[in-house]
Amino acid sequence: MKLISWNVNGLRAAVKKDFAETFNELDADVFSIQETKLQEGQIDLDLPGYHQYFFYAKKKGYSGTAVFTKEEPLNVTKGLGIEEFDDEGRTLTLEFKDFYLINSYTPNSQQKLKRLDYRMRYDDALRAYMKKLSADKPVALCGDLNVAHEEIDIKNDKTNHKNPGFSDEERAKFSELLNSGFIDTFRTLHPDDVKYSWWSYRFNARQNNAGWRIDYFVLSDNGEKMLKAADIHTDIYGSDHCPIELDLDI
């Protein structure tokens, strides 16, 4: 089973670029997106063969997640059951026969870490939710998790220390997640590879490959036997992020 995750930085904007072509070329079984930035009725996507599920933020033009899947899920759950996070449309869960897929657009801590407390609460709630589901069957978490975990995951680690996405607190929370029974699939299969998934629009960052790896597929330990391949499609444009891939043997 081929899974794709991509922060499109506005689905309506992405559709005006090459989203349809990219979507068809990747031919994923399950395609998850973050930062849709739209409300119900603002887009009509023609994706033959796919079931479409959206979770919108209450605030217009902000946040939001969606999943497009060939296989109809057993259940779809919007949110974590916590209003302060669910109002922003950040978490969408699809239950399949063999695993749960959680699509997450993790909050950005923002400049001077002014939203760090909110972000920490989200990380804790998401981890608890993942652990609860993984007691039933394997869990695959995908999305823009807004953290570069280790120095290898960011081009300029020294100048970004304590900045949002590379603060000690955020990195520690990601370590806590992994230590509670989950694996970073790309890093597990490619321990020494330097590949990024996000680049600032400023300072020619993408041309200079001054990026961050902040998009992930995380898999529960009880699903590790399904892990087949993981990749980051750095050659695909259309957003400040690029798509990432996970292949599962199901």
Side-chain angles (χ1 to χ4, degrees), residues 15 36 74 91 96 110 131 133 136 141 152 160 166 230:
V15 166
T36 56
L74 301 176
T91 319
F96 296 101
Q110 298 185 358
K131 290 180 68 175
L133 292 186
D136 177 40
L141 166 73
I152 192 175
N160 281 292
F166 200 60

Side-chain angles (χ1 to χ4, degrees), residues 108-125:
N108 188 302
S109 293
Q110 298 185 358
Q111 292 301 315
K112 298 184 179 179
L113 304 178
K114 64 181 181 181
R115 218 181 186 204
L116 181 62
D117 288 345
Y118 178 85
R119 159 65 183 268
M120 296 289 97
R121 293 195 302 274
Y122 179 87
D123 283 348
D124 287 339

